[in-house]
Amino acid sequence: MSEQEFKRALGYANSAFDLLKRSGIPPYPQFYELLYTYSTGVNPTLNARINAIFRNGDSPTTNLAETLYNEFLKSDVNDRMSSVSERMHARIEAVYEAIDSAMTTANAYSGSLQSASGDLEREISVAAMKELADKLLSETRRMQETNRSLEQKLEASRDDIASLQRDLDDVRRESLLDPLTKIANRKSFDEGMDGAIAEASETGVPLCLMIIDIDHFKSFNDTYGHQTGDQVLRLVAMTLKSNIKGKDLAARYGGEEFVAILPSTDMEGAVIVAENIRKAIQAKELLKRSTNEKLGRITASFGVAAYRPGDTPATLIERADRCLYAAKHAGRNRVISESELEAMQAQVEETKDVSAA
């Protein structure tokens, strides 16, 4: 974890504890998780609900926190996935039972055939022959009926399992999307980083990481409200996604930060992509939907880092983060890459040397 990421997480944690203390809610793990999630802003529906409570002047209580936790965090995608898995398990068990029943009938039929074979090897009367034929005919019809029943059950099970598989696929896709912006979430980004770094390490193809932070987002959010803030987040996400292609992955990293994994892209190409996105964001004029009031333009700062042999996701993120913070300190609304940051640092050192001399 980079120093900047640690500071962000610590800020969210302090905010959560402060809310717990001010509300008189005990700092149990589930309540801490609830208010930590609120502090990050990754669940817009939860934030809207809590903001409404604060606006109405209601005093948060333990019971209310419990209700919100059960509604927004306890019944999550994992529960839905578990439910689908249980239904699939039950359906597979039903298939096994149908097959076991059919096998029992088949074994009984095989036994009848073997018994009849032994009878036919001996001389038997016409009446006994007729009785044996009737018995075999009855057993055969029973076997046919069992087979038809098994086929019907297997057909129904096949359709049910296919439907359940589609449900599982939908839940998994949903679990990898940020609910507000509809682009990849942090979990999806983490998986994508692991895969991209493994590929770069094995093949030697270039890989770059871009981190984006919306400039002055907190003050914008405080001035115009969370709904307008959510509109800004969606706009940036849409702009980011529409300006990357192929195997690139755009994701919401947390709060007002976004990331893009750029496989098969060198530093020069990544900087060009970042500049295109920066200009596209700046070019969009924001309107307040309820009044059509012009709210001006938003800007974002960018940090770009390139994969180096031996890098882990943490080390690559840390270097991109340093570039992002350099862009912030350099006046915002700009892209700074590793190579530019190194040149800036070298220039600072040169200036120090000259001053010392």
Side-chain angles (χ1 to χ4, degrees):
M1 175 183 288
S2 69
E3 182 181 353
Q4 289 84 1
E5 189 172 359
F6 174 80
K7 288 179 179 177
R8 275 196 301 272
L10 185 61
Y12 295 145
N14 289 336
S15 176
F17 277 119
D18 183 56
L19 287 168
L20 287 169
K21 185 177 179 180
R22 286 194 286 117
S23 303
I25 297 172
Y28 298 148
Q30 67 270 31
F31 299 149
Y32 169 75
E33 180 186 0
L34 176 72
L35 292 175
Y36 185 93
T37 303
Y38 169 77
S39 298
T40 64
V42 298
N43 189 324
T45 310
L46 169 65
N47 280 44
R49 182 74 66 82
I50 293 179
N51 290 335
I53 292 169
F54 289 145
R55 278 197 305 272
N56 294 335
D58 296 335
S59 178
T61 63
T62 301
N63 288 339
L64 179 57
E66 186 76 43
T67 299
L68 291 172
Y69 175 80
N70 290 335
E71 180 179 351
F72 289 97
L73 298 178
K74 190 175 181 180
S75 300
D76 59 5
V77 169
N78 291 334
D79 290 335
R80 291 175 55 199
M81 191 171 288
S82 296
S83 173
V84 175
S85 297
E86 287 173 8
R87 286 159 52 204
M88 183 173 285
H89 178 73
R91 174 50 65 187
I92 291 172
E93 284 294 319
V95 170
Y96 284 153
E97 289 177 7
I99 292 173
D100 286 343
S101 175
M103 289 181 65
T104 300
T105 303
N107 288 335
Y109 184 62
S110 177
S112 297
L113 290 178
Q114 288 179 354
S115 176
S117 177
D119 291 340
L120 290 173
E121 289 176 355
R122 301 190 304 270
E123 291 186 6
I124 57 175
S125 65
V126 173
M129 177 72 77
K130 184 177 181 305
E131 182 181 351
L132 180 60
D134 289 342
K135 180 182 177 182
L136 287 175
L137 182 59
S138 175
E139 291 286 341
T140 299
R141 286 172 177 164
R142 181 183 167 204
M143 188 66 201
Q144 288 174 333
E145 184 61 32
T146 299
N147 285 340
R148 276 196 296 270
S149 176
L150 177 61
E151 287 175 3
Q152 290 171 355
K153 289 178 180 177
L154 289 177
E155 185 69 25
S157 295
R158 187 182 69 178
D159 292 342
D160 285 348
I161 289 174
S163 175
L164 288 168
Q165 185 62 56
R166 287 193 295 271
D167 288 345
L168 275 177
D169 291 342
D170 289 342
V171 171
R172 170 157 176 79
R173 278 193 295 271
E174 186 178 331
S175 75
L176 296 175
L177 286 180
D178 174 63
L180 173 65
T181 61
K182 303 306 179 186
I183 64 172
N185 60 14
R186 179 64 181 270
K187 177 183 177 184
S188 182
F189 166 72
D190 289 341
E191 291 181 3
M193 277 292 288
D194 288 338
I197 284 183
E199 181 181 4
S201 175
E202 291 171 8
T203 64
V205 297
L207 166 67
C208 283
L209 174 67
M210 176 197 311
I211 299 185
I212 307 160
D213 186 89
I214 302 173
D215 296 329
H216 304 296
F217 180 76
K218 187 178 185 304
S219 60
F220 186 94
N221 219 18
D222 293 342
T223 302
Y224 297 108
H226 290 281
Q227 286 189 336
T228 304
D230 290 347
Q231 184 184 345
V232 171
L233 293 172
R234 283 190 287 264
L235 182 147
V236 171
M238 178 187 67
T239 306
L240 172 60
K241 189 174 181 180
S242 63
N243 280 274
I244 61 174
K245 58 184 179 180
K247 295 164 64 177
D248 299 345
L249 175 69
R252 187 179 179 193
Y253 193 60
E256 66 271 23
E257 285 194 332
F258 296 84
V259 286
I261 302 173
L262 307 173
S264 304
T265 305
D266 60 17
M267 179 64 78
E268 183 180 357
V271 169
I272 291 172
V273 172
E275 278 291 349
N276 289 339
I277 296 170
R278 185 191 65 79
K279 291 174 183 176
I281 291 173
Q282 186 181 18
K284 297 182 185 299
E285 188 167 33
L286 196 66
L287 296 176
K288 192 170 185 178
R289 288 179 176 174
S290 57
T291 62
N292 279 334
E293 174 191 356
K294 292 183 179 181
L295 306 181
R297 302 182 189 277
I298 55 172
T299 63
S301 301
F302 295 71
V304 181
Y307 171 80
R308 299 173 184 174
D311 259 339
T312 64
T315 58
L316 183 54
I317 291 169
E318 184 175 5
R319 292 204 308 279
D321 235 351
R322 284 203 297 267
C323 294
L324 171 64
Y325 275 79
K328 290 286 188 184
H329 290 306
R332 296 183 169 83
N333 189 25
R334 62 176 298 174
V335 176
I336 288 189
S337 65
E338 277 186 287
S339 53
E340 184 178 356
L341 180 58
E342 289 169 359
M344 290 166 62
Q345 290 171 340
Q347 190 173 5
V348 170
E349 290 300 321
E350 222 175 90
T351 304
K352 285 181 180 178
D353 291 343
V354 171
S355 300

